[in-house]
Amino acid sequence: MTTDTELTISRLIAAPPSAVWEAWSIPANLEKWWIPAPIACRVDTLDLRPGGGFVTRMREGDGDWQPHIDGCFLEAVPEQRLVFTTVLTEGWQPADPWLAVTAILTFEARDGGTLYSARVLHKNPEDSAKHDEMGFQEGWGTAIGQLAALIER
Amino acid sequence: MVNQQAALNTLFHALADPTRRAVISRLLKGAAPVTRLAAPFDMGLPAFLKHLAVLETSGLIRSEKQGRVRTCHIDADRLAAAEGWLGEQRAIWQSRTDRLAAFVESQTAEEKNP
């Protein structure tokens, strides 16, 4: 169910919630999938507790590291649930992000795997692009093709 | 890309007002003259014409004058661009979830077959 301000995505992952949590909670792992290649991802802050900072940066080729996400975790229940927002930064500091979202991620054990669900709430689409310094819209749809290569090993 | 962003800003600014959204809803049912569009709104014609100007600038509506009557209609392509934005956000999260699944599943496979 997707409204005009909310996206929901869910997927069954053939691995237990503990493995999904490891992919999320270890910076070196998160860097591998958070942003699609060839754009590189750097995890600067991954403080998984309410009020903890969440900062990722991105870089194309050998360019400069660009802002990506600068947010704040609202909830972090290991292997179960993760909530972050870009409307606050570390320590619940109010912010004026280029894209205001709250993401609610849940990991449910299901048939030996994990039902991974993301609900992404937006204020409304009109504040989507305050800063155009990020080529956010470019090259994002290409990830799925590269994915096959990763799976077929 | 910057141009596309600027165009989107204009578009969403146009859609950010209830009067302007009501005009769009009305025009989706078919073209209409300005006087008939203005009728349901409790504001003077000058104020209403400002709203129409914002909509025209954004490209969401077009108008033609024939004699003394100006008729407005929707530009469907521009409206589709607004809808496309959320679709794009969705694609980002969808592909991110796919990559997460691929990563986690490959890690798990390695543990089973070292």
Side-chain angles (χ1 to χ4, degrees):
Chain A
M1 157 76 196
T2 297
T3 68
D4 57 356
T5 58
E6 186 176 321
L7 307 172
T8 52
I9 283 157
S10 61
R11 189 190 156 122
L12 206 53
I13 297 180
S18 59
V20 175
W21 184 256
E22 257 183 38
W24 242 112
S25 57
I26 297 169
N29 288 348
L30 182 61
E31 284 172 356
K32 290 193 176 82
W33 62 269
W34 187 236
I35 299 175
I39 299 172
C41 171
R42 190 177 87 193
V43 175
D44 283 1
T45 313
L46 182 64
D47 188 0
L48 292 166
R49 61 192 173 89
F54 181 34
V55 182
T56 55
R57 299 177 79 76
M58 61 187 214
R59 179 171 69 176
E60 278 189 86
D62 51 7
D64 293 337
W65 286 100
Q66 301 282 343
H68 178 240
I69 286 183
D70 188 355
C72 174
F73 287 103
L74 303 173
E75 226 187 321
V77 184
E79 301 181 19
Q80 288 180 37
R81 190 173 154 89
L82 203 51
V83 183
F84 71 84
T85 183
T86 57
V87 179
L88 305 171
T89 58
E90 191 165 8
W92 297 289
Q93 172 66 43
D96 187 12
W98 73 280
L99 176 60
V101 295
T102 297
I104 302 163
L105 309 156
T106 56
F107 323 124
E108 287 173 61
R110 181 77 59 94
D111 308 325
T114 304
L115 179 64
Y116 179 88
S117 305
R119 271 179 74 206
V120 188
L121 318 183
H122 301 78
K123 189 163 86 180
N124 45 33
E126 58 261 22
D127 65 345
S128 64
K130 286 203 187 83
H131 305 148
D132 45 34
E133 73 260 26
M134 300 181 33
F136 189 74
Q137 320 287 4
E138 290 175 78
W140 281 80
T142 57
I144 293 175
Q146 311 160 6
L147 184 70
L150 198 68
I151 298 175
E152 293 157 8
R153 37 196 288 172
Chain B
M1 278 302 127
V2 173
N3 287 346
Q4 194 195 341
Q5 295 278 36
L8 269 181
N9 281 347
T10 313
L11 200 61
F12 287 123
H13 169 66
L15 289 171
D17 177 89
T19 300
R20 296 199 288 267
R21 283 198 301 271
V23 170
I24 294 288
S25 299
R26 167 62 189 82
L27 287 176
L28 283 168
K29 296 184 184 120
V34 170
T35 45
R36 199 186 310 158
L37 282 177
F41 299 105
D42 187 17
M43 63 177 76
L45 196 60
F48 186 77
L49 290 175
K50 273 186 194 159
H51 282 307
L52 282 191
V54 172
L55 286 170
E56 282 216 59
T57 305
S58 76
L60 281 167
I61 70 168
R62 295 166 192 238
S63 69
E64 281 87 34
K65 197 162 186 175
Q66 286 185 311
R68 297 182 54 195
V69 181
R70 182 172 284 281
T71 301
C72 301
H73 57 91
I74 284 275
D75 183 334
D77 289 352
R78 293 292 288 153
L79 200 60
E83 285 170 3
W85 182 80
L86 267 175
E88 216 161 47
Q89 299 307 306
R90 185 181 178 77
I92 289 164
W93 280 89
Q94 189 71 60
S95 59
R96 182 174 278 161
T97 305
D98 290 344
R99 289 192 305 274
L100 168 65
F103 172 72
V104 171
E105 287 167 6
S106 66
Q107 295 286 102
T108 315
E110 273 174 28
E111 281 163 23
K112 281 182 190 150
N113 319 300

